[in-house]
Structures are given as C-alpha cells and as structure tokens.
Amino acid sequence: MKFKQLVVAGLMLSIASLAKAAPSSEFVVKDIKIEGLQRVALGAALTYLPVNVGDEMNSFRISQLIRSMYSSTHFESIQILRDGNVLIVRVHERPTISNIEFEDNDDIKDEQLQESLDGNNIVVGEPLDKTMLTQVENGLKDFFYSIGKYNADVTAIVTPLPRNRVDLKLLFEEGDAASLEQINIVGNSIYSDEELLEQVELQFDTPWWDFLSETRYQKQTLTGDMETITSHYKDRGYLRFNIDSTQVSMTPDKEGIYITLNVDEGEKYEISDVELIGDLLGFEEYLKLVLPIRKGQLYNQAQVTYTEEYISKYLGRYGYAYPTVTTIPDINDDDKTVKLVLSVDPGKRIYVRRINFEGNISTADEVLRQSVNQMEGSWLSNDTLEVSKNSLSRLTYMEKVDFETVRLPGEEDKVDVNFTVKEQASGSFNAGIGYGDRTKLSLQAGIQQDNFLGTGKRVAFNVSTVSYQKSVQLSYTDPYFTIDGISLGGSVSYSEFDGSSANLIQYNSKQFSVGTNIGYPIDQYNRINFGLTYSNVELFQNQPYVQTIRFNNQFIDPNNPDAAINYYSFLASVAWSRSTLNRGVFPTAGSSQRASFGVTTPNSDVNYFKTDFDGKWYFPLSRNQRWSFLARLKMGYGNGYGDVDGIDQILPFTQHFTAGGADTLRGFENNTVGPRGVLVSPNSVVTDPSGRPILGSPTTDSISISRRSLGGNAMLLGGVELIVPTPFVDVDFDNSVRSSMFIDVGNVWDTEFDYDRYKDLTVNTTYSDDDILDYSDPSKYRASYGLSVQWLSPMGPMVFSFSRPIEEQEGDDTKFFTFNIGQTF
C-alpha cells in the first residue's frame, strides 16, 4: 500500500515536468547527472537508478526510474530532464527530522507516542515522510475516539530549519471524554438491569462521592463489560446466551453517550456427560477423578476453561509443555443438555537444551543457577520453572524475575529457557535515627553485603555506636557451600553494653562471642540449621533488683561483692525456616516462618534454653498485588534447667526478651515494654538459716519501681499491616517503594518472678500512680498504630515510620517517628 502511494505521488509530482522536459523521441544515454543531492551520497543515489550509460531511454524506462527513486524514501520530488543525450535527474531530498516534540498530551505518555512514531519510521535523524504524518494523526484520533474523546484533534506542525532540516511537533487538543448518560439492556428477564450493571466497569448516574467509578465511555472497557455479562450468564448454565447487537449513540454536542445492549438469554443447560479423548499418556483415570466438571452439574464456562488449563498444566509437569486441550460441546436443545468432549493432544515431550540469564550485571550466572531447579538436558516442567522463578525472586538482591521458553528452529522437542532478572541493591548501610519523648535523638550505623562481589555469599561488618552500645561484628555465610545447597557460616563479635542508656535496668556488660552454623535444605521451601556459639560475658555496675539477685548470687564473691561477674556458655541451637514468599524484599504474597530452639551445654556456667517463633503471612487483596494484607506473629519463651552447685538455674536477665522499637512494637522506645525492675528497701534485716537476707516482708520492707524495663522470659507480639499503593509513585516502582498502615500489639512478661509477694509492700517511689501489676500483668498489652514508607536506595532498604501508642499510659516512653536505613520489616 505504501509503495503504491509513493508511486502515485511521484507520478503526480513529475507529470508536468515530464510533459515539458521529457524527450519527444527515444535516445541513447551517454551520461547521467543527478542534481540536488545534499545528504544522500551520489554512489547511493545511482544504485536506485535502473538505467545505465548506453541504455535506450523511453517513456517506460522513465516511469521505472521514478518508481525506483521514490522507493528509496529519500526524495520528496523528482524531475527527469534531457540535455542532448545526457540524462538529468533533478531531486529534492526529504528533510531530516531534527527534533520531535509533544504538546498538551495527557492521556498518552511521551514514551508511548515515540514508540508509535518509531513504528512509522518517524525518528530524529531520519528523513521525514510527510505522507506518514496523516496516518499518524488519524491513528491518534482513533485512539482518542476509543476512549470517548470525540472532540479530540491532533495536528502535526512541521517547521523548516536551515540545511534541509525540520522540527516536528504534535499538538494535541484532547478535550473532555464523553460521559455515559445511560446503559440500557434489552431482552433480559432472568437478571435485572441493576444486577447486570453491578458486574460491569462502566457506570452512569453515580453519586458525587463515588469518584472511583468509571463514567467515561471507552470502547475497550465496553468490550470487556460485554464479556463480563456473557460470562455471568454462561457461568450459570445459560450456554446459548448471546449479545445480539450493540448500539452506541452520541448526543449532538459529542459529550454524552447512550449504550443499548440487545441480549438473548436462552435457557439453562445441564451437563449430560464428560468424556476424555486423545492421548492421555496413562493419566486418564487420575484426570477423571480430579476434573472439576461433573455429569449432572449446570454448564459453567469458567469451570470448563479452568479444566482445560488444569489438564495443560498437569501435562506440563511431565515435559509436555505445549499440549492442546479443546472442549467440544455436543448440545441437545430438546432436553437442554450438553455433552462435553475434552480432546487432548499432549504434543511432544519437550527437553531443555540450555538455561540462559539476562540482566544480571553483578551476580554471576553460577550463583543464579544454584537457585534454579530446572535442569538442562531434562524435560521441561512448568511447575519446576515456577518454583525456580520463586526461588530466584526470594533472593534479597533480585528485584524482578521473569522467564520465557524459546523453541529452537528445526528442533520440535527442544527449547531454551531464558531468565530475565533485574538486580537491586544487595548491600545495605545500616543506619537509624530515632526520636523519643524522653530519650530524644538516637543514632546507629553498620554495613552488610548479601551478594559479596556477585558470589551470592553474605558478608557483614557491623559497627554500632549507639549511645547504649558499642559493638563490632564480622559474619560470613556461604548459602551454597556444597552443590546440594548446604550452607556454612560463622561470626565473631564483641560488644560493650550500657543497660541504662538502652531503656533497661542499670547494668553494664562486655561480651565476646564466636560461633558457627551449618544449614541443610529439606526442599525448595524448608530448611534446617544447626549452630554452636561460645560466649564470654562480664557484668558490672549491676544494681540489686529483686529479679536479678537470684541470678547474681551464684556468681558474687562474698569477699568482694562489688566485683564484676564473669561467666561463659556454649549455646547449641537448631532452627527450622520455611518461605513461600514471592520476593525476597517487599513481598506481597506467600508466607515465611522461622522457629528455633537453643540450649546451653551442661559444661557451661549457666544452664538455660530459649525458643522462639517468627511468622509473617501475606494475603494479596488485588489481582496486581498492589494492595496486600500482612499478619505478623512473634513468640518466645526461655528458662533455666537443672542446677549448678545446688542453685536452680533461671534464664539470665541478659538473655531476656525485650520489646519496643522498629523491630517489635513501633510507637514505643527501644526495650521499654515489659516488666520494670523492682528494688526492695528493707527497714530491718531478716536472714535465713544460712545468714542471707530475706527480702519481701510486708511488715518490714518497702519497694521502689524502676523507670526502666527489665525484660522477661516470655514474649508475645503480633500485628496487622495494610500494604497500599504509594501515592504519587508510578506502578513501575512497586518493587522499590512500599507504603503501609499498621497496628502492633504485644507484651513481655517474667513468669518466674512472684509479683504477688511484693504487690502489698509500701511503695516509696513510683513511676506512676498504678501498682507494679500494671507493668507486669500478662493481661496488660501495649498497642500502637502508624504509617510506614519503605524504599530501596543504593545504600539498601530505607524506612520512615510515624507511630503512636493506641492507649498511652503514664510511664510509657513513646516514639514520634523513626527513620532507618538498611532495615526491612
């Protein structure tokens, strides 16, 4: 079509000059000259001439020459002249596009417009074919008409520039979209207009506050709504339902649309039989048992489609990746029944020749292959490919993963699998800024790399300089120490801790730890880890709180009670983890659970155990998963076992669970939720037979309640979170930015401390007007609410949250906001 237009245009432009300049008789060409060339080289122009020196020219040869020259798309006009026996071709080149601009386009992005122009070869630096501009203008107008903007106009403005160049501007006058005035459905008696219109996207006469309704007419939306209505009937047995005709009329001012659908509902049809035919590869009996459609059911088009997809996916597990499943309905209009015949052609079993990766700039192919379950040389399994995609997506340094199977030319039974990945920041600079009512500004910092040098190994070197702790830690984990997925890791750390600055009771400690762990994969979702850690702890400046005296007494030197306490332990641990999350960072579907149990060995100075559970469940609320619901649960319990030198063991208070802060209960300062420290002031000393003082006599003692938390050996935390699209952020950045509204709830308790023994004592100094049980009763929970925005930066995940307690109590330390770098919930 384009060639014909060029020929016609060329002939029309040249006919006048031909009539005057063309020779009146034939002649033999002795020389050829081309005039008017600027951008096109002479040698290139000569290649388009179907005439050589020595050829005899006539009218047929001239028409051939013109057609050939125009087909090159370089010339706007062509004249054929004769000077004796010299053939002169005088051309005017098409102008070169210097710049392309779009103005007043709201409904179409510049990128979409440029793609459309590229498809018509209207590109900066290329010759401008003005005949194509009309097609572009009309195509854009058709688009606006399809979305109900019937007053829209598109004008192409060409501005000449020196050196045969032009500027091209597309000027848009979009106008307002025509709104729906009414939708009429004619011929329906089983379902009312109201019932059917509730199913569709297009709406009319909506209340002013329902701003989410689609009241603009769009042709594509109407087509989708017609399919929705058809599915509504066919999913309920009305096999013969049909929309006979559709009328779309417009008001004279082109601002209102009336739609009329003429439907034929028909009657309900029942399935009389279901038959499987074709090559079922020995799976016929199994498929008959699991097929969702049954004899005696009403016909349901959705179930029929699901059945076809189920059979295809089932065969795809065994390498038959391209089966054809066709449902042939045998309709009996007399008794209103239909027999469904499912014809199955599995095709050939497909094998994978090669697995390729694209987009991995930092990560080596070998690292990605470790997470791929599909093997080269084996048959293609759709299920295994999906599992491989999910495994890759759960890597914290992968933002997006897709795959496609490419059939090989001339190889009917072989494909290549191409994984396309998009990497994200694999390292994080851990930093935090917090502001509290009482503690004011707090800072912390650290660094971690989850994909060290593209090897998939996790290396972390953390240095913390928070006001309450100075620490350094070096850790290393190789998640694929062996080809079977066995992981190996280790860590070394040293810390100096000031409990009072961390909102805990007064004590200071120094701790050195070194540990190793090894992990074994159970399957693609489950994993088990074993670890052993040696720790050496030194405690000093430890105040004699009632809850800590029992632990301290076993280490205190009677001759020097103010000396530091020192003990060591070997902690053996086992942990189980499971993850079905769809992504490693900012997941929107799936779940993750982790349970661990640790116990010190009998040769340790302290004998205790700790167990904990951490679970997260994501439930997508929309098909595109931009809306999602998150439920969280975190539990822990610890205690001592046996005795050391005749002293029953309890959980060291340095191992207590604490709550409050970004990782546990947002809205509260770090470690402020839970039991408070209790100091007993004896008015007279009462001792036991061994000479040790007995504390807690209601008649002689009084108590003081610390402003600071002690933590406890039991913890229960939970919360819910509504993940929502981030305002003013494009959907393309959903994997990089997350916004949510949350509620956190929970508490920490000390189940080994007898609160009833002290609740009736005289209170010397209280932090509030409430008694001690208000801080320690298991029925008392803390809760908070707030907003959170998280995003990925080159330094790693960044988090900003604003949170407040739901019910503030005197003594609660609240946090107005937190800002963290390198922390992900």
Side-chain angles (χ1 to χ4, degrees):
M1 179 67 185
K2 178 179 177 181
F3 178 76
K4 290 182 179 179
Q5 290 175 338
L6 292 173
V7 171
V8 172
L11 292 175
M12 292 178 64
L13 289 171
S14 305
I15 189 169
S17 59
L18 285 170
K20 296 180 180 180
S24 55
S25 61
E26 299 176 356
F27 71 100
V28 177
V29 178
K30 291 187 176 182
D31 194 11
I32 301 175
K33 293 183 179 180
I34 302 179
E35 299 178 353
L37 294 177
Q38 294 182 352
R39 179 177 52 83
V40 180
L42 176 60
L46 289 173
T47 61
Y48 300 117
L49 291 178
V51 178
N52 297 314
V53 174
D55 290 345
E56 184 176 339
M57 288 299 298
N58 52 40
S59 57
F60 176 73
R61 282 290 185 87
I62 292 175
S63 63
Q64 274 190 320
L65 187 152
I66 293 174
R67 282 196 298 267
S68 178
M69 293 290 285
Y70 273 117
S71 68
S72 70
T73 70
H74 292 297
F75 307 111
E76 193 169 73
S77 64
I78 301 170
Q79 285 184 312
I80 306 299
L81 306 173
R82 173 186 177 186
D83 183 7
N85 289 337
V86 176
L87 176 66
I88 300 175
V89 182
R90 185 171 296 165
V91 299
H92 184 266
E93 293 181 357
R94 287 177 177 170
T96 302
I97 302 174
S98 176
N99 186 41
I100 299 176
E101 295 182 36
F102 308 106
E103 187 172 316
D104 296 333
N105 53 305
D106 296 325
D107 278 327
I108 312 180
K109 295 181 180 179
D110 288 1
E111 295 79 8
Q112 294 173 300
L113 289 170
Q114 189 59 58
E115 287 180 6
S116 176
L117 295 181
D118 291 346
N120 290 281
N121 201 33
I122 301 178
V123 184
V124 172
E126 294 295 325
L128 174 63
D129 183 356
K130 293 182 180 179
T131 62
M132 298 302 299
L133 288 180
T134 301
Q135 295 185 29
V136 172
E137 290 175 341
N138 293 335
L140 292 173
K141 288 178 184 179
D142 290 341
F143 166 78
F144 286 115
Y145 295 164
S146 70
I147 62 173
K149 292 192 172 185
Y150 293 99
N151 291 314
D153 193 20
V154 181
T155 304
I157 301 175
V158 179
T159 304
L161 297 174
R163 302 191 303 278
N164 198 28
R165 297 176 299 121
V166 293
D167 270 349
L168 175 61
K169 177 187 289 187
L170 290 178
L171 181 62
F172 295 84
E173 295 181 14
E174 295 185 354
D176 295 326
S179 59
L180 281 174
E181 299 294 334
Q182 194 170 4
I183 302 177
N184 299 309
I185 301 177
V186 179
N188 56 309
S189 59
I190 300 169
Y191 297 105
S192 65
D193 288 8
E194 291 75 15
E195 289 177 286
L196 296 176
L197 293 178
E198 284 179 358
Q199 313 293 323
V200 302
E201 186 175 346
L202 290 177
Q203 300 291 326
F204 69 95
D205 195 25
T206 58
W208 64 270
W209 47 263
D210 190 5
F211 54 88
L212 294 178
S213 296
E214 181 58 76
T215 59
R216 299 191 314 171
Y217 169 74
Q218 297 190 43
K219 184 178 180 180
Q220 296 89 337
T221 305
L222 175 60
T223 301
D225 286 346
M226 292 168 60
E227 293 178 357
T228 299
I229 293 175
T230 301
S231 298
H232 182 79
Y233 275 91
K234 290 191 174 183
D235 292 348
R236 291 161 177 78
Y238 296 94
L239 176 59
R240 292 292 196 185
F241 174 83
N242 186 50
I243 298 179
D244 294 332
S245 62
T246 305
Q247 292 87 38
V248 179
S249 57
M250 189 185 312
T251 58
D253 57 7
K254 298 183 179 180
E255 294 183 357
I257 295 290
Y258 290 86
I259 298 175
T260 301
L261 303 178
N262 296 285
V263 303
D264 180 6
E265 294 178 315
E267 298 184 38
K268 287 184 177 181
Y269 282 73
E270 186 178 284
I271 299 175
S272 60
D273 193 14
V274 179
E275 181 181 353
L276 288 169
I277 63 174
D279 186 2
L280 299 172
L281 304 172
F283 300 125
E284 183 174 1
E285 295 303 321
Y286 172 80
L287 291 174
K288 285 182 177 179
L289 291 175
V290 300
L291 290 184
I293 50 177
R294 291 285 188 273
K295 176 181 178 180
Q297 293 179 341
L298 283 177
Y299 177 82
N300 187 316
Q301 181 65 50
Q303 281 193 337
V304 171
T305 302
Y306 172 77
T307 301
E308 294 174 347
E309 294 175 351
Y310 180 84
I311 295 175
S312 297
K313 289 182 178 179
Y314 185 79
L315 296 177
R317 297 180 188 176
Y318 302 96
Y320 299 92
Y322 304 104
T324 301
V325 182
T326 306
T327 302
I328 305 170
D330 183 5
I331 303 174
N332 188 330
D333 291 319
D334 295 332
D335 59 3
K336 301 299 183 288
T337 61
V338 57
K339 177 183 177 181
L340 300 179
V341 179
L342 296 170
S343 175
V344 180
D345 179 9
K348 290 189 176 182
R349 175 172 277 183
I350 306 299
Y351 293 85
V352 176
R353 184 190 69 165
R354 184 177 295 118
I355 297 176
N356 304 307
F357 296 93
E358 298 177 1
N360 50 315
I361 300 173
S362 302
T363 310
D365 280 9
E366 292 75 10
V367 176
L368 300 180
R369 290 183 189 278
Q370 293 168 350
S371 297
V372 175
N373 298 77
Q374 176 70 60
M375 305 298 291
E376 294 178 342
S378 64
W379 71 60
L380 177 68
S381 171
N382 293 332
D383 280 359
T384 305
L385 283 178
E386 287 294 336
V387 170
S388 301
K389 175 184 175 181
N390 292 335
S391 297
L392 287 169
S393 299
R394 284 193 290 270
L395 296 175
T396 57
Y397 41 89
M398 287 295 145
E399 178 181 340
K400 187 177 181 181
V401 179
D402 289 309
F403 71 86
E404 64 173 348
T405 56
V406 180
R407 306 193 75 164
L408 302 178
E411 301 281 353
E412 295 184 0
D413 61 345
K414 291 183 181 179
V415 297
D416 281 350
V417 178
N418 297 330
F419 282 93
T420 303
V421 302
K422 182 180 180 182
E423 297 174 316
Q424 61 189 13
S426 58
S428 61
F429 173 72
N430 301 322
I433 301 175
Y435 182 86
D437 296 349
R438 182 169 56 82
T439 58
K440 304 306 178 184
L441 189 67
S442 62
L443 304 171
Q444 63 184 18
I447 189 171
Q448 177 174 307
Q449 174 61 255
D450 288 345
N451 186 21
F452 184 66
L453 299 180
T455 63
K457 298 177 176 62
R458 184 178 299 110
V459 177
F461 179 71
N462 286 307
V463 178
S464 177
T465 57
V466 194
S467 59
Y468 57 84
Q469 186 176 33
K470 295 179 177 64
S471 66
V472 58
Q473 181 184 42
L474 175 64
S475 63
Y476 170 86
T477 301
D478 184 352
Y480 282 91
F481 180 67
T482 70
I483 194 173
D484 297 325
I486 296 177
S487 64
L488 183 66
S491 65
V492 179
S493 66
Y494 174 80
S495 66
E496 297 180 359
F497 184 78
D498 180 356
S500 61
S501 298
N503 301 320
L504 293 172
I505 59 173
Q506 174 63 54
Y507 76 91
N508 288 38
S509 71
K510 295 180 180 179
Q511 178 171 328
F512 169 77
S513 298
V514 57
T516 184
N517 64 82
I518 187 169
Y520 297 88
I522 301 174
D523 54 31
Q524 62 264 32
Y525 303 117
N526 296 273
R527 190 175 191 85
I528 188 168
N529 284 70
F530 300 94
L532 181 65
T533 302
Y534 166 80
S535 297
N536 189 295
V537 181
E538 181 182 359
L539 296 176
F540 51 95
Q541 295 184 4
N542 187 3
Q543 289 193 10
Y545 296 98
V546 174
Q547 297 99 318
T548 64
I549 287 177
R550 179 179 171 185
F551 176 78
N552 293 337
N553 280 345
Q554 60 184 318
F555 299 105
I556 290 177
D557 183 357
N559 299 321
N560 186 11
D562 294 328
I565 295 173
N566 187 272
Y567 62 90
Y568 72 88
S569 64
F570 291 92
L571 182 69
S573 62
V574 58
W576 161 80
S577 61
R578 179 179 184 271
S579 177
T580 61
L581 299 175
N582 62 337
R583 284 197 295 269
V585 179
F586 299 163
T588 55
S591 65
S592 67
Q593 299 85 36
R594 186 181 189 278
S596 66
F597 177 79
V599 59
T600 58
T601 58
N603 64 323
S604 302
D605 287 340
V606 289
N607 292 340
Y608 69 88
F609 67 88
K610 285 183 73 174
T611 182
D612 64 80
F613 173 82
D614 189 358
K616 296 179 181 179
W617 296 266
Y618 292 85
F619 304 94
L621 302 179
S622 61
R623 183 171 299 178
N624 58 11
Q625 298 187 2
R626 300 195 72 196
W627 294 77
S628 189
F629 179 80
L630 166 63
R632 292 177 278 106
L633 177 63
K634 193 172 186 178
M635 302 182 294
Y637 178 77
N639 215 327
Y641 72 91
D643 64 83
V644 176
D645 298 331
I647 300 176
D648 289 339
Q649 294 292 286
I650 61 173
L651 183 69
F653 65 89
T654 56
Q655 294 293 326
H656 276 181
F657 298 103
T658 59
D663 290 330
T664 53
L665 279 175
R666 290 165 284 189
F668 297 89
E669 290 292 338
N670 290 337
N671 309 322
T672 57
V673 176
R676 310 282 175 164
V678 178
L679 290 169
V680 176
S681 302
N683 295 324
S684 61
V685 178
V686 179
T687 62
D688 59 16
S690 64
R692 292 183 176 180
I694 301 175
L695 301 178
S697 173
T699 59
T700 61
D701 297 342
S702 60
I703 64 171
S704 299
I705 302 174
S706 171
R707 295 168 59 89
R708 305 186 185 279
S709 172
L710 177 73
N713 69 323
M715 172 187 66
L716 180 61
L717 303 170
V720 293
E721 200 158 339
L722 179 63
I723 300 169
V724 301
T726 304
F728 313 113
V729 175
D730 192 85
V731 65
D732 295 338
F733 295 96
D734 278 352
N735 292 350
S736 302
V737 183
R738 163 168 292 180
S739 298
S740 62
M741 297 175 284
F742 63 84
I743 295 177
D744 291 345
V745 63
N747 208 348
V748 174
W749 308 278
D750 189 345
T751 64
E752 292 297 301
F753 181 59
D754 185 6
Y755 295 102
D756 291 339
R757 181 179 178 185
Y758 299 91
K759 67 179 181 179
D760 296 327
L761 297 183
T762 303
V763 180
N764 286 337
T765 304
T766 61
Y767 188 56
S768 71
D769 295 331
D770 301 317
D771 61 25
I772 188 173
L773 293 182
D774 283 336
Y775 299 105
S776 308
D777 186 349
S779 65
K780 300 289 184 180
Y781 285 87
R782 299 291 186 263
S784 63
Y785 65 96
L787 304 173
S788 174
V789 179
Q790 308 173 48
W791 67 98
L792 290 176
S793 73
M795 294 185 296
M798 306 178 71
V799 183
F800 175 84
S801 63
F802 176 88
S803 51
R804 294 294 292 173
I806 291 178
E807 181 181 356
E808 293 186 47
Q809 298 185 23
E810 188 176 356
D812 283 343
D813 293 319
T814 58
K815 183 176 292 186
F816 284 106
F817 66 85
T818 58
F819 179 77
N820 297 285
I821 303 174
Q823 184 167 2
T824 305
F825 303 132

